[in-house]
Amino acid sequence: MSTAGLPRDARLRRPSDFAALRTSSGRAGGRCFHMRYRDNDLGHARLGLAISKRVSKRAVERNRIKRLLRESFRRVRHQLPPVDLMVMAREQAAGVPGSQLLVEIDGLWKKLLANRPVTSEPLKRTDDTSTIER
């Protein structure tokens, strides 16, 4: 029986992974979420969540937001480039219905895909040793 859970290799687990995202990464944000991302060499996307008590004092509310984020990531993770992602919820996320949160996080995934340059061939051939003359 297969589970629909998020596999272990699709999650950020080490504090060093989160620290690397805090220091040097790209950013995208919306009304309820802020996302940081950076390339990885693993060949697939990984997700890390940071939902603090500042968002809501109630653990039930924070866990609801985490479930929605993980579900959204599960649906699109095979379309995303190989990046490490850290999604942080803002204080406004606590009172918003789940359907609106899903729409916003889907917008962040689209922003991430739009910011990624798609190149089908390398900029310089490996056998070409010439340089540009001015």
Side-chain angles (χ1 to χ4, degrees), residues 30-114:
R31 187 173 73 96
C32 296
F33 298 106
H34 178 75
M35 178 173 61
R36 289 182 174 249
Y37 57 91
R38 81 182 241 169
D39 295 332
N40 69 28
D41 298 329
L42 301 173
H44 61 276
R46 297 190 304 170
L47 175 69
L49 299 175
I51 315 298
S52 70
K53 283 188 180 180
R54 183 180 293 175
V55 173
S56 174
K57 299 290 184 204
R58 299 175 57 217
V60 172
E61 187 70 26
R62 294 192 309 272
N63 291 337
R64 179 183 74 92
I65 293 169
K66 290 178 193 178
R67 282 193 303 272
L68 290 169
L69 287 167
R70 282 192 296 262
E71 179 60 31
S72 178
F73 180 73
R74 272 188 212 108
R75 286 190 267 148
V76 299
R77 73 183 180 109
H78 296 293
Q79 301 165 11
L80 295 175
V83 293
D84 289 341
L85 302 160
M86 179 172 57
V87 179
M88 297 167 279
R90 298 179 193 253
E91 295 174 21
Q92 295 87 353
V96 178
S99 59
Q100 290 179 9
L101 290 176
L102 285 173
V103 167
E104 183 166 339
I105 195 65
D106 287 342
L108 283 181
W109 302 142
K110 288 177 185 172
K111 279 185 189 178
L112 178 66
L113 290 170

